[in-house]
Amino acid sequence: MTDSLTSTLALLTGGAEQIDVQTAVPQLLAAQSTLAAEEPAPAKMLAAQLGKLAELLQAGMTTEANASLPPIAAQVEQYAHTLPEAQRPSLMAVAEKLHLADGGLDA
């Protein structure tokens, strides 16, 4: 799951304007489904955020989608800390990129 989640999240790192909605939405929904079935609360919370992001992208709401990227990054970090240490680096790296993807104050 870690590799597929990392590749899905990597689609978001350029900001909402750069996301290929046709590619990203199905992957976001697949990740949402997988994470929702996991036990740790951070997985379920991340699943909900990814589902909401898919809705925003489908609706063409790029400003709102961009605003959701830093909170998703924070949730990815929380989720990563529930995983074995060997699985964390790729998720933590993509989380860092997501923190910067909205072009806001962190960038």
Side-chain angles (χ1 to χ4, degrees):
M1 172 61 195
T2 305
D3 290 339
S4 64
L5 179 58
T6 299
S7 65
T8 297
L9 294 171
L11 296 171
L12 312 175
T13 60
E17 297 84 10
Q18 304 302 316
I19 296 171
D20 177 358
V21 175
Q22 300 283 334
T23 300
V25 168
Q27 290 186 25
L28 288 168
L29 294 175
Q32 176 193 24
S33 178
T34 301
L35 288 166
E38 290 190 20
E39 273 310 307
K44 294 184 184 311
M45 294 173 67
L46 180 55
Q49 287 178 317
L50 294 179
K52 180 64 177 172
L53 177 60
E55 290 175 18
L56 293 171
L57 291 171
Q58 285 178 314
M61 301 173 73
T62 56
T63 301
E64 294 83 353
N66 263 339
S68 72
L69 296 179
I72 288 173
Q75 194 61 50
V76 168
E77 291 169 343
Q78 289 183 11
Y79 171 66
H81 286 293
T82 68
L83 299 173
E85 194 166 330
Q87 295 178 0
R88 294 179 192 166
S90 61
L91 285 175
M92 296 301 279
V94 78
E96 180 62 29
K97 290 178 183 176
L98 286 173
H99 275 297
L100 304 174
D102 71 335
L105 296 175
D106 303 32

